[in-house]
Amino acid sequence: MKLMVIDGNSIVNRAFYGVSQNLTTREGLPTNAIFGFLNILFKLLDEERPEGLAVAFDMRAPTFRHKAFAAYKAQRKGMPEELAVQMPVLKEVLDAMNIRRYELEGWEADDLLGTMARVNGAQGGDTVIVTGDKDALQLVDGRTTVKLVSTRMGQTTTRNVTPEEFRESYGFDPIHMIDLKALMGDSSDNYPGVKGVGEKTAMALIQQYRTVDAIYEKLPDIDAKPGVIKKLAEGEGDARLSYELAVIRTDAPMGFDPADAARKPFNQPALYQKLLELEFSKLIDKLKLTPGPAPAAPGPEPAEVRVDVVEVAAERDFQEARSRWEAADCVVVLPLPELAGVAVSLSGDGGQAYLYDIRAGRYEGDYRALLAALFGPGVKKAAHGVKELCRALLDEGIEPAGFVFDTELAAYLLDPTAGSYEIRKLAASYFKQEVEQGAAYQEEEAFSLLDDGLKAQAAWYEDAAWIEALLGLFRPKLEEFGLLPVLTDIELPLCPVLARMEKAGVLVDGQALAGFGRQLQLGIDALKEEIYALAGEEFNILSPKQLGHILFDKLGLPPVKKTKTGWSTNVDVLEKLRPRHDIVGRVLDYRQLTKLNSTYVEGLGKVIAADGRVHTSFQNTVTATGRLSSTEPNLQNIPVRTSLGAEMRKMFVAPRGRVLVDADYSQIELRLLAHMSGDQAMIGGFNSGVDIHTVTASQVFGLPQDQVPPELRRAAKAVNFGIVYGISAFSLSEDIHVSVPQAKEYMEKYFEHYSGVRAYMDRVVEQGREDGYVSTMYGRRRWLPELKSSNFNTRSFGERVALNMPIQGTAADIIKLAMIKVDARLRAEGLEARLVLQVHDELIVECPEHEAERVKALLQEEMEGVAALSVPLIADAKAGRTWADAH
């Protein structure tokens, strides 16, 4: 039998530290070690395809080695709590996979691995021992291979060590690894070896004499320096003890029979349930797992819910249903694509529920009037994805109103980093039940054939029921966490605003865009020729590998950063190298022009609609801070501070007789930092009306404001903005091109003066650690289990997020509230003006020329008055024929 035996503790440790520790279930159970272990396991199975499989684990009880040497492993820290809580769950997963586990009190996993390999070998089988610990190399022989596993930055690599490969690397047989350890000791296991004899000396001695016994038989006549001979003589006792501790025993009393470890099929229902609880839905799909019969629910049977399906086909059906809908606290609505139908779910008293099936093709009355009534203010509704539904209604000329809940937005607020909020994934995750993924009713022509139609109908009804279940679960959760106002006052009212902006779109000058593209291409071609000339050959400038060859091999520039595939040529590296060779600046310019051309010029040209406008899609469930993003096209990432970015903004124009009005918050995040920290010096600086960066430079560097030189203002600006993002002295030094000690001095002076900011930063991180989350002024939360991580890098990431999220998230909340107020006032005052774009802290309105002054004043009033802070909110508004003119 080909048997693979795994050192469970070794591999799970590598998984724990190699996979992001920001991986938890909704209940807060860390899962990164389990997830990483399973990924490594499936990689190993693909590589080795063993017939037998077993995993060995250490136990907490002392082993015979501890009894022989009290200090054995004494210096090791205990298992981090985030890993310890995952261990029993991992073992349950392995049990569900029908993988044999072995643990034996008083013995280490290494001894169990060695015993299994010996027994399997004696029966003529081959064994692969999987571990990250090189101590196991002593077990390598003709029947046993050791597969060494390492994990770095989430990537797992393996190396098979055979007797031949070992001898080539070490110069002696694998069994003498014990002798090597006896001489050099092992700091990890905390046994001494011979004091003063390191790895290099020990290797040379074992390569020449092979064993510890042979060395001591020949003392003092061995071929070594007198000092080494003296150390060996004095340390013989430690060498003998270390030898005994280093030996992996192969006689553990574990009653092992290789046949017991023969691979068996998964216990599908049990594994499905465990992976469902762990929220590993992609792994369930990958393994094609299906559940078994549902276990009987403990306790009394739940009350039976009777659902009456009511087909709304005639006008009288609709009028009867409408009276019930309008009298209800809330109905659940689930439309078919393109509003071809709507399912309306209504829960009644006494366990009675109604599901109304409304389809355009079957309704005999005025279907559009039905939609207008259902989606008007008279019916209070919950839906999943209100923004998309609003957009569909607007396309039909129906003004949406009456939405009181959105289960998609609720799921996002409860877990803003989940990334996916599909109905069925939420149902599977929150209710820990089997839910077939994919909904047939969302497919084109889903109801066209009888069989498919019945299946599509059942799926449609089922999703409506899931939305109702999620509504019942999410509403109290939002109330418990203080998140309900974020949904009802910010996110829900914003949905129709975003839908109207998407429908309106913004006009693009196609001819100017094409001309700009031609101009860019000329620049790209010219830069390419210059780069080829400086390199002395033609190559793919956008290939990191080929560029690295030119820069580091041919031109001899010093490499800065290593990646998995070679030397890095990212923008940070190239900026460091820019002063060393003219080619570097050309490459950076080439990258900028090609990206601008492909992403924005060519990309924008492809999405101009028949009306000459681009209709971006605003995403309101993507970012962890609450900021909006946009796709097809992404208008949030158009360069702002470069001349080329300004050129791009010229492509966005107003139609003849109209203008664009642009209002932009001034330094909103710094103003929020002043307000939320309560720092009186910063508040005073903003209230003075003077440029805050000049004020900061003046206060930090002890200069009159009119004598602050540009370089110190730039330094103060970098510190001001960097503080919001938890910048380090090293990063600041990179940004403003000063030494790290000088950057550190700038930061220390900053915190001396703005002591309230320092106190706020300390307070928000500590509060986040205690609460498990940080929040905005309006209550939006981000959960941060990273703050309690034992891993320094993970914990540091959590601290940076804790500093940044409350401020950036509050800025996002404020711009959303401003959008709601601006849209409402434009409509209330009967203006033709309409919001067409939002980019970070900037709102763009398109309006007739004669409304421009009124709209500028309106934008400033609403944006500046949206929040009461201890410093003024300032919004600057300008009008122009193009976005660039108005910016």
Side-chain angles (χ1 to χ4, degrees), residues 796-819:
S796 297
F797 166 78
E799 290 170 357
R800 289 193 298 273
V801 172
L803 294 173
N804 169 243
M805 189 275 171
I807 293 170
Q808 193 176 100
T810 300
D813 289 340
I814 284 176
I815 194 73
K816 286 179 173 180
L817 287 167
M819 293 169 72

Side-chain angles (χ1 to χ4, degrees), residues 375-413:
F375 290 106
V379 180
K380 296 184 281 294
K381 298 167 288 292
H384 190 85
V386 169
K387 193 265 294 182
E388 287 75 15
L389 180 47
C390 289
R391 176 66 196 277
L393 290 164
L394 289 171
D395 287 343
E396 295 296 322
I398 297 169
E399 187 64 33
F403 289 103
V404 296
F405 205 88
D406 183 338
T407 47
E408 182 182 39
L409 284 170
Y412 165 65
L413 292 175

Side-chain angles (χ1 to χ4, degrees), residues 764-776:
V764 76
V765 171
E766 185 54 38
Q767 192 69 46
R769 187 174 289 114
E770 289 179 12
D771 296 340
Y773 66 89
V774 292
S775 58
T776 69

Side-chain angles (χ1 to χ4, degrees), residues 6 47 131 229 386 417 541 559 566 612 620 691 710 779 789:
I6 299 174
E47 289 178 357
T131 182
I229 293 171
V386 169
T417 59
I541 302 167
N620 56 349
D691 171 63
S789 173

